[in-house]
């Protein structure tokens, strides 16, 4: 085995319907997680493995969307997502925290930021769905999020169109342990 081989766990967190499952499916090259326009399709943590024979393995943990729970099922799903924050080597929003492109940081995003401040794990912010906005606006969105949390990396991407996903994988490997 390569002594430079890395391996670790990466959680994908974010609000409902930001593209967490779509991102994971595209990163591993297979449809493992259900994707839907309907919020809360992912109800339990889903694990899958990405293997690069030269660099290592990434175990992705796709989680339910973090939201204000209105019932017991919602509370359970949020609890599942938030508990993964302390069990992983990297947090991917989505591996880190996944957000949609916007200058507005709502209450849901603020709640996630507060949860992230409690962990020492590197957080990579993925600004997903950048194919839906003008390119010049992306720099503004990056600047907006850079001001609210010290992210290890901020990567604009499109999970649906598979744009910039190689960069996402490279950044994950950068933070995984040997």
């Amino acid at each position: 085995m390569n002594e430079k081989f890395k391996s670790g766990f990466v959680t994908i967190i974010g609000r409902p319907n930001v593209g967490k499952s779509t991102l994971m499916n595209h990163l591993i090259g297979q449809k493992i997680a259900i994707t839907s326009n309907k919020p809360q399709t992912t109800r339990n943590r889903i694990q899958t493995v990405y293997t690069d024979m030269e660099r290592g393995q990434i175990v992705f943990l796709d989680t339910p969307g973090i939201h204000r729970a209105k019932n017991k099922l919602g509370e359970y799903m949020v609890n599942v997502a938030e508990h993964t924050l302390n069990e992983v080597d990297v947090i991917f929003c989505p591996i880190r925290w996944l957000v949609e492109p916007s200058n507005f940081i709502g209450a849901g995003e603020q709640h996630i930021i507060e949860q992230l401040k409690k962990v020492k794990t590197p957080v990579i912010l993925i600004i997903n769905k950048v194919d839906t906005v003008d390119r010049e606006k992306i720099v503004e969105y990056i600047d907006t999020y850079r001001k609210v949390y010290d992210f290890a990396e901020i990567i604009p991407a499109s999970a649906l169109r598979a744009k910039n996903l190689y960069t996402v994988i490279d950044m994950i490997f950068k933070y995984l342990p040997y």
Side-chain angles (χ1 to χ4, degrees):
M1 184 189 320
N2 182 348
E3 59 186 53
K4 298 280 186 194
F5 198 80
K6 291 185 167 191
S7 179
F9 292 85
V10 175
T11 189
I12 303 173
I13 64 163
R15 302 217 355 106
N17 274 31
V18 294
K20 298 179 300 296
S21 296
T22 300
L23 177 64
M24 185 183 75
N25 288 341
H26 280 280
L27 288 172
I28 63 163
Q30 219 174 353
K31 186 167 183 173
I32 299 294
I34 297 170
T35 57
S36 169
N37 290 333
K38 183 179 179 208
Q40 284 87 45
T41 304
T42 302
R43 296 198 170 183
N44 290 298
R45 185 172 72 179
I46 298 171
Q47 297 181 37
T48 189
V49 179
Y50 172 90
T51 302
D52 178 318
M53 296 305 287
E54 297 297 316
R55 298 191 285 180
Q57 286 187 320
I58 303 168
V59 179
F60 285 103
L61 307 175
D62 185 15
T63 62
I66 296 177
H67 62 286
R68 182 170 296 161
K70 296 178 181 156
N71 54 40
K72 291 289 184 190
L73 176 60
E75 288 176 21
Y76 167 77
M77 291 173 9
V78 171
N79 194 23
V80 165
E82 289 181 351
H83 274 86
T84 64
L85 296 177
N86 293 310
E87 302 171 354
V88 296
D89 299 300
V90 177
I91 298 170
F92 187 66
C93 285
I95 313 196
R96 320 311 182 180
W97 174 31
L98 198 59
V99 298
E100 292 183 329
S102 172
N103 281 328
F104 176 74
I105 299 177
E109 286 82 10
Q110 289 292 347
H111 174 75
I112 294 171
I113 290 168
E114 292 307 313
Q115 298 302 310
L116 294 174
K117 288 179 180 177
K118 298 175 187 176
V119 298
K120 294 186 186 331
T121 308
V123 178
I124 297 171
L125 176 67
I126 305 300
I127 300 178
N128 194 28
K129 304 182 183 181
V130 295
D131 55 317
T132 65
V133 297
D134 293 329
R135 290 178 69 107
E136 51 278 349
K137 295 296 252 178
I138 296 169
V139 174
E140 290 179 35
Y141 304 147
I142 290 171
D143 191 49
T144 297
Y145 279 95
R146 184 172 284 138
K147 291 176 183 174
V148 297
Y149 186 82
D150 187 22
F151 294 98
E153 308 286 342
I154 299 177
I155 305 168
S158 171
L160 186 63
R161 306 274 182 252
K163 289 186 178 184
N164 220 11
L165 299 188
Y166 289 114
T167 302
V168 171
I169 292 292
D170 289 343
M171 290 302 106
I172 292 169
F173 276 117
K174 177 179 174 180
Y175 292 97
L176 288 182
Y178 287 99

